[in-house]
Protein backbone atom coordinates (compact mmCIF):
# COMPACT_ATOMS: atom_id res chain seq x y z
CA UNK A 1 0.00 0.00 0.00
CA UNK A 2 1.35 3.43 -0.97
CA UNK A 3 2.14 5.63 2.02
CA UNK A 4 3.75 8.92 0.96
CA UNK A 5 5.21 11.04 3.75
CA UNK A 6 6.34 14.68 3.71
CA UNK A 7 9.49 13.62 5.53
CA UNK A 8 10.52 11.92 2.28
CA UNK A 9 10.27 15.23 0.43
CA UNK A 10 7.59 17.72 -0.56
CA UNK A 11 7.03 20.62 -2.94
CA UNK A 12 6.30 24.02 -1.41
CA UNK A 13 3.81 26.01 -3.47
CA UNK A 14 2.18 29.22 -2.24
CA UNK A 15 -1.58 29.01 -1.71
CA UNK A 16 -1.99 32.17 -3.79
CA UNK A 17 -0.46 30.39 -6.78
CA UNK A 18 -2.74 27.38 -6.30
CA UNK A 19 -5.79 29.63 -6.14
CA UNK A 20 -4.92 31.31 -9.44
CA UNK A 21 -3.79 28.19 -11.29
CA UNK A 22 -7.23 26.71 -10.57
CA UNK A 23 -8.77 29.55 -12.60
CA UNK A 24 -6.22 29.50 -15.44
CA UNK A 25 -8.32 27.34 -17.82
CA UNK A 26 -5.60 24.74 -18.46
CA UNK A 27 -6.24 21.45 -20.17
CA UNK A 28 -5.11 18.22 -18.53
CA UNK A 29 -1.68 18.00 -20.16
CA UNK A 30 -0.90 21.66 -19.50
CA UNK A 31 -1.72 21.26 -15.81
CA UNK A 32 0.47 18.15 -15.63
CA UNK A 33 3.34 20.05 -17.25
CA UNK A 34 2.97 22.86 -14.70
CA UNK A 35 2.98 20.26 -11.91
CA UNK A 36 6.13 18.62 -13.32
CA UNK A 37 7.90 21.98 -13.49
CA UNK A 38 6.89 22.72 -9.88
CA UNK A 39 8.19 19.29 -8.87
CA UNK A 40 11.65 19.82 -10.40
CA UNK A 41 12.02 23.50 -9.48
CA UNK A 42 10.17 24.31 -6.25
CA UNK A 43 10.58 20.67 -5.18
CA UNK A 44 14.35 21.24 -5.11
CA UNK A 45 14.19 24.82 -3.75
CA UNK A 46 15.15 26.37 -7.08
CA UNK A 47 13.40 28.73 -9.47
CA UNK A 48 14.45 27.19 -12.79
CA UNK A 49 15.73 23.90 -14.14
CA UNK A 50 16.81 22.35 -17.43
CA UNK A 51 13.91 20.21 -18.64
CA UNK A 52 14.03 18.65 -22.11
CA UNK A 53 10.95 17.49 -24.00
CA UNK A 54 12.18 13.92 -23.69
CA UNK A 55 12.41 14.21 -19.91
CA UNK A 56 8.96 15.78 -19.59
CA UNK A 57 7.33 13.24 -21.90
CA UNK A 58 8.76 10.41 -19.78
CA UNK A 59 7.72 12.13 -16.55
CA UNK A 60 4.17 12.57 -17.86
CA UNK A 61 4.05 9.21 -19.71
CA UNK A 62 2.81 10.87 -22.90
CA UNK A 63 4.04 11.61 -26.42
CA UNK A 64 6.87 14.12 -26.84
CA UNK A 65 5.03 15.90 -29.67
CA UNK A 66 2.00 16.36 -27.40
CA UNK A 67 4.17 17.77 -24.60
CA UNK A 68 5.88 20.09 -27.09
CA UNK A 69 2.54 21.49 -28.30
CA UNK A 70 1.10 22.10 -24.83
CA UNK A 71 4.36 23.46 -23.40
CA UNK A 72 4.54 25.96 -26.27
CA UNK A 73 0.98 27.05 -25.42
CA UNK A 74 1.99 27.61 -21.78
CA UNK A 75 5.03 29.64 -22.88
CA UNK A 76 2.89 31.74 -25.25
CA UNK A 77 0.45 32.42 -22.40
CA UNK A 78 3.39 33.49 -20.19
CA UNK A 79 2.62 30.88 -17.54
CA UNK A 80 5.94 29.13 -18.19
CA UNK A 81 9.11 31.06 -19.04
CA UNK A 82 12.21 29.99 -20.96
CA UNK A 83 15.10 31.68 -19.17
CA UNK A 84 18.02 30.22 -21.12
CA UNK A 85 19.78 27.06 -22.21
CA UNK A 86 21.27 24.53 -19.80
CA UNK A 87 24.56 22.64 -19.82
CA UNK A 88 22.94 19.69 -21.64
CA UNK A 89 21.59 22.13 -24.28
CA UNK A 90 17.99 21.80 -23.11
CA UNK A 91 15.77 24.75 -22.21
CA UNK A 92 15.88 26.23 -18.71
CA UNK A 93 12.22 26.44 -17.67
CA UNK A 94 10.63 28.31 -14.79
CA UNK A 95 7.09 28.91 -13.56
CA UNK A 96 5.99 32.55 -13.84
CA UNK A 97 4.42 33.25 -10.46
CA UNK A 98 3.39 36.76 -11.54
CA UNK A 99 -0.14 35.71 -12.50
CA UNK A 100 -0.97 39.27 -13.64
CA UNK A 101 1.15 38.52 -16.73
CA UNK A 102 -0.69 35.30 -17.60
CA UNK A 103 -2.74 35.44 -20.78
CA UNK A 104 -6.10 33.82 -21.42
CA UNK A 105 -6.47 30.84 -23.72
CA UNK A 106 -7.30 31.99 -27.29
CA UNK A 107 -11.05 31.85 -27.90
CA UNK A 108 -12.63 29.90 -30.75
CA UNK A 109 -13.78 32.70 -33.05
CA UNK A 110 -15.34 30.20 -35.44
CA UNK A 111 -17.98 29.05 -32.93
CA UNK A 112 -21.43 29.14 -34.52
CA UNK A 113 -24.68 29.90 -32.66
CA UNK A 114 -26.86 26.94 -31.65
CA UNK A 115 -29.46 25.41 -33.98
CA UNK A 116 -32.75 27.26 -33.23
CA UNK A 117 -31.30 30.76 -32.96
CA UNK A 118 -29.14 30.16 -35.97
CA UNK A 119 -32.07 29.12 -38.16
CA UNK A 120 -34.26 31.97 -36.89
CA UNK A 121 -31.54 34.52 -37.47
CA UNK A 122 -30.83 33.13 -40.89
CA UNK A 123 -34.47 33.26 -41.98
CA UNK A 124 -34.92 36.82 -40.71
CA UNK A 125 -31.75 38.11 -42.29
CA UNK A 126 -32.37 36.43 -45.63
CA UNK A 127 -35.22 38.82 -46.43
CA UNK A 128 -33.32 42.00 -45.58
CA UNK A 129 -29.71 41.36 -46.62
CA UNK A 130 -28.85 41.04 -50.33
CA UNK A 131 -27.34 37.68 -51.32
CA UNK A 132 -24.03 39.17 -52.47
CA UNK A 133 -23.60 40.86 -49.04
CA UNK A 134 -24.27 37.57 -47.25
CA UNK A 135 -21.72 35.87 -49.47
CA UNK A 136 -19.12 38.55 -48.75
CA UNK A 137 -19.73 38.30 -45.01
CA UNK A 138 -19.37 34.53 -45.10
CA UNK A 139 -16.06 34.85 -46.94
CA UNK A 140 -14.77 37.36 -44.38
CA UNK A 141 -15.82 35.15 -41.46
CA UNK A 142 -14.15 32.16 -43.08
CA UNK A 143 -10.94 34.14 -43.64
CA UNK A 144 -10.95 35.47 -40.07
CA UNK A 145 -11.47 31.96 -38.74
CA UNK A 146 -8.44 30.77 -40.66
CA UNK A 147 -6.31 33.59 -39.25
CA UNK A 148 -7.42 33.03 -35.67
CA UNK A 149 -7.09 29.24 -35.69
CA UNK A 150 -3.62 29.27 -37.24
CA UNK A 151 -1.22 27.91 -34.63
CA UNK A 152 2.45 28.93 -34.40
CA UNK A 153 4.78 26.29 -35.80
CA UNK A 154 6.68 24.35 -33.15
CA UNK A 155 10.03 22.62 -33.48
CA UNK A 156 11.27 19.49 -31.78
CA UNK A 157 14.65 19.73 -30.05
CA UNK A 158 15.98 17.29 -32.67
CA UNK A 159 14.90 19.61 -35.51
CA UNK A 160 17.76 21.06 -37.58
CA UNK A 161 16.20 24.54 -37.29
CA UNK A 162 16.02 24.25 -33.50
CA UNK A 163 19.66 23.13 -33.44
CA UNK A 164 20.60 26.16 -35.58
CA UNK A 165 18.78 28.41 -33.11
CA UNK A 166 20.61 26.79 -30.21
CA UNK A 167 23.98 27.08 -31.97
CA UNK A 168 23.48 30.80 -32.64
CA UNK A 169 22.17 31.34 -29.10
CA UNK A 170 25.41 29.89 -27.68
CA UNK A 171 27.48 32.17 -29.93
CA UNK A 172 25.44 35.27 -29.10
CA UNK A 173 25.44 34.47 -25.36
CA UNK A 174 29.24 34.55 -25.31
CA UNK A 175 29.21 37.95 -27.03
CA UNK A 176 26.53 39.30 -24.67
CA UNK A 177 28.44 38.13 -21.61
CA UNK A 178 31.65 39.75 -22.86
CA UNK A 179 29.81 43.02 -23.58
CA UNK A 180 27.86 42.92 -20.29
CA UNK A 181 24.43 42.85 -21.96
CA UNK A 182 23.25 39.38 -20.89
CA UNK A 183 19.90 40.90 -19.89
CA UNK A 184 19.03 41.33 -23.58
CA UNK A 185 18.87 37.53 -23.94
CA UNK A 186 16.95 36.82 -20.75
CA UNK A 187 13.63 36.07 -22.44
CA UNK A 188 14.81 34.46 -25.67
CA UNK A 189 12.18 32.20 -27.28
CA UNK A 190 14.14 29.49 -29.08
CA UNK A 191 10.99 28.34 -30.88
CA UNK A 192 10.72 31.76 -32.55
CA UNK A 193 14.43 31.69 -33.35
CA UNK A 194 14.01 28.23 -34.93
CA UNK A 195 11.15 29.59 -37.04
CA UNK A 196 13.35 32.46 -38.27
CA UNK A 197 15.98 29.94 -39.37
CA UNK A 198 13.31 27.87 -41.13
CA UNK A 199 12.21 30.97 -43.04
CA UNK A 200 15.84 31.79 -43.84
CA UNK A 201 16.36 28.35 -45.39
CA UNK A 202 12.94 27.49 -46.84
CA UNK A 203 11.61 30.91 -47.85
CA UNK A 204 14.76 32.97 -48.45
CA UNK A 205 16.51 30.00 -50.06
CA UNK A 206 19.78 30.28 -48.12
CA UNK A 207 22.15 27.36 -47.68
CA UNK A 208 22.59 25.91 -44.18
CA UNK A 209 26.37 25.82 -44.55
CA UNK A 210 26.44 29.49 -45.52
CA UNK A 211 24.14 30.27 -42.57
CA UNK A 212 26.62 28.65 -40.20
CA UNK A 213 29.55 30.55 -41.75
CA UNK A 214 27.68 33.86 -41.33
CA UNK A 215 26.77 32.97 -37.72
CA UNK A 216 30.44 32.28 -36.96
CA UNK A 217 31.63 35.46 -38.70
CA UNK A 218 29.01 37.86 -37.34
CA UNK A 219 29.75 36.87 -33.72
CA UNK A 220 33.45 37.63 -34.25
CA UNK A 221 33.26 40.83 -36.28
CA UNK A 222 34.05 43.85 -34.08
CA UNK A 223 31.11 45.89 -35.36
CA UNK A 224 28.36 43.36 -36.09
CA UNK A 225 28.76 41.09 -33.06
CA UNK A 226 27.00 43.59 -30.77
CA UNK A 227 24.47 44.67 -33.41
CA UNK A 228 23.10 41.24 -34.34
CA UNK A 229 21.90 39.55 -31.16
CA UNK A 230 18.82 37.71 -32.42
CA UNK A 231 17.81 35.28 -35.15
CA UNK A 232 15.33 37.82 -36.53
CA UNK A 233 18.03 40.47 -36.93
CA UNK A 234 20.37 37.93 -38.51
CA UNK A 235 17.73 37.04 -41.10
CA UNK A 236 16.93 40.69 -41.84
CA UNK A 237 20.60 41.53 -42.44
CA UNK A 238 21.67 38.16 -43.85
CA UNK A 239 22.34 39.28 -47.43
CA UNK A 240 24.40 42.28 -46.33
CA UNK A 241 26.28 40.20 -43.75
CA UNK A 242 27.11 37.45 -46.27
CA UNK A 243 28.55 40.01 -48.71
CA UNK A 244 30.63 41.71 -46.02
CA UNK A 245 31.89 38.33 -44.82
CA UNK A 246 32.99 37.34 -48.34
CA UNK A 247 34.71 40.69 -48.87
CA UNK A 248 36.56 40.40 -45.56
CA UNK A 249 37.87 36.98 -46.59
CA UNK A 250 39.37 38.16 -49.90
CA UNK A 251 43.20 38.19 -49.73
CA UNK A 252 44.59 41.71 -49.92
CA UNK A 253 46.83 42.41 -52.89
CA UNK A 254 50.42 43.07 -51.81
CA UNK A 255 51.64 46.57 -52.47
CA UNK A 256 53.75 46.66 -55.61
CA UNK A 257 57.30 47.91 -55.06
CA UNK A 258 58.10 51.06 -56.98
CA UNK A 259 60.18 50.58 -60.14
CA UNK A 260 63.76 51.97 -59.91
CA UNK A 261 63.33 53.44 -63.38
CA UNK A 262 60.48 55.60 -62.11
CA UNK A 263 62.87 57.11 -59.55
CA UNK A 264 65.45 57.82 -62.29
CA UNK A 265 62.82 59.71 -64.29
CA UNK A 266 61.82 61.69 -61.16
CA UNK A 267 65.51 62.49 -60.52
CA UNK A 268 66.00 63.77 -64.08
CA UNK A 269 62.95 66.03 -63.71
CA UNK A 270 64.27 67.23 -60.34
CA UNK A 271 67.62 68.18 -61.91
CA UNK A 272 65.98 69.82 -64.93
CA UNK A 273 64.02 72.05 -62.58
CA UNK A 274 67.22 73.14 -60.83
CA UNK A 275 66.93 70.89 -57.79
CA UNK A 276 69.90 70.08 -55.58
CA UNK A 277 70.93 66.44 -56.26
CA UNK A 278 71.81 65.93 -52.56
CA UNK A 279 68.31 66.83 -51.48
CA UNK A 280 66.51 64.36 -53.77
CA UNK A 281 64.68 61.64 -51.85
CA UNK A 282 65.31 58.25 -53.38
CA UNK A 283 62.98 56.43 -50.95
Amino acid sequence: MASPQTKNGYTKVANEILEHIMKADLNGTQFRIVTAIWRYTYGFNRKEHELSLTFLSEALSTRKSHVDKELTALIDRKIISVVGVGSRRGRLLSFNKNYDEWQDRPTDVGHQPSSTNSRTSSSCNSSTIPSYNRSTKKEKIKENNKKNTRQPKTYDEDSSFYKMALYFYDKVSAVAEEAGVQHLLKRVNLQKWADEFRKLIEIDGMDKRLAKEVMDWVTQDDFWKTNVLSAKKLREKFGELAIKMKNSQKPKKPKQPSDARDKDIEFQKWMANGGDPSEFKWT
Side-chain angles (χ1 to χ4, degrees):
M1 183 180 72
S3 179
Q5 302 293 325
T6 55
K7 65 181 181 181
N8 296 325
Y10 61 92
T11 299
K12 189 176 180 180
V13 181
N15 287 337
E16 191 173 353
I17 288 177
L18 293 175
E19 289 163 5
H20 281 82
I21 206 70
M22 293 177 205
K23 306 171 186 175
D25 191 19
L26 305 181
N27 63 32
T29 302
Q30 289 172 356
F31 184 76
R32 290 161 65 199
I33 291 172
V34 169
T35 306
I37 292 173
W38 284 346
R39 171 68 183 89
Y40 293 101
T41 54
Y42 294 163
F44 288 86
N45 293 318
R46 55 195 176 198
K47 295 180 179 179
E48 60 195 44
H49 188 56
E50 182 177 356
L51 295 166
S52 67
L53 290 176
T54 301
F55 179 86
L56 287 172
S57 67
E58 291 175 356
L60 273 61
S61 297
T62 190
R63 299 188 311 276
K64 186 162 68 170
S65 59
H66 189 48
V67 172
D68 190 13
K69 176 186 174 183
E70 301 303 341
L71 176 58
T72 300
L74 289 169
I75 293 169
D76 289 342
R77 292 180 61 187
K78 301 187 184 301
I79 295 172
I80 300 299
S81 301
V82 180
V83 296
V85 179
S87 58
R88 296 187 299 277
R89 304 180 72 79
R91 285 178 289 185
L92 288 172
L93 302 178
S94 70
F95 176 76
N96 180 17
K97 65 180 182 180
N98 184 1
Y99 48 78
D100 288 335
E101 294 180 348
W102 298 354
Q103 296 181 5
D104 294 333
R105 181 190 293 189
T107 55
D108 183 6
V109 182
H111 179 69
Q112 298 296 325
S114 59
S115 56
T116 305
N117 291 339
S118 177
R119 287 195 299 269
T120 305
S121 175
S122 176
S123 61
C124 292
N125 289 340
S126 61
S127 61
T128 57
I129 302 176
S131 60
Y132 66 86
N133 281 347
R134 293 202 304 274
S135 176
T136 303
K137 283 189 175 183
K138 286 179 181 177
E139 289 173 0
K140 286 182 178 179
I141 291 172
K142 189 175 181 181
E143 184 63 28
N144 287 335
N145 288 345
K146 283 183 179 179
K147 290 180 181 178
N148 285 284
T149 57
R150 192 176 297 148
Q151 295 295 323
K153 195 172 180 68
T154 58
Y155 301 86
D156 191 272
E157 291 173 358
D158 295 327
S159 160
S160 61
F161 300 124
Y162 187 88
K163 289 179 179 178
M164 290 173 74
L166 202 55
Y167 180 81
F168 190 51
Y169 176 83
D170 287 344
K171 291 278 185 182
V172 169
S173 292
V175 172
E177 185 175 355
E178 181 184 346
V181 291
Q182 302 97 315
H183 62 281
L184 297 178
L185 302 178
K186 192 172 181 180
R187 294 192 176 275
V188 165
N189 186 328
L190 288 175
Q191 287 291 329
K192 290 184 179 179
W193 280 34
D195 197 51
E196 290 294 339
F197 281 110
R198 179 190 64 80
K199 291 174 182 175
L200 180 69
I201 303 304
E202 294 184 350
I203 298 176
D204 301 344
M206 299 301 171
D207 181 72
K208 287 182 180 179
R209 184 177 298 177
L210 176 62
K212 180 182 180 299
E213 290 175 2
V214 172
M215 282 189 269
D216 291 339
W217 177 81
V218 78
T219 49
Q220 294 174 6
D221 183 79
D222 290 338
F223 174 77
W224 288 107
K225 67 182 181 181
T226 53
N227 285 280
V228 179
L229 294 173
S230 71
K232 184 177 181 180
K233 192 73 171 180
L234 181 77
R235 184 184 171 219
E236 288 174 356
K237 295 284 185 181
F238 192 85
E240 180 182 353
L241 295 171
I243 292 171
K244 289 185 180 294
M245 179 189 73
K246 295 292 184 184
N247 288 338
S248 70
Q249 294 171 345
K250 289 181 180 178
K252 294 182 179 179
K253 293 182 180 179
K255 197 173 182 180
Q256 296 293 331
S258 59
D259 196 328
R261 289 173 298 180
D262 294 337
K263 279 295 178 183
D264 287 336
I265 295 171
E266 288 183 35
F267 180 71
Q268 294 299 329
K269 289 181 178 179
W270 175 269
M271 294 293 292
N273 291 328
D276 185 344
S278 62
E279 295 179 357
F280 181 77
K281 296 180 179 179
W282 289 93
T283 58

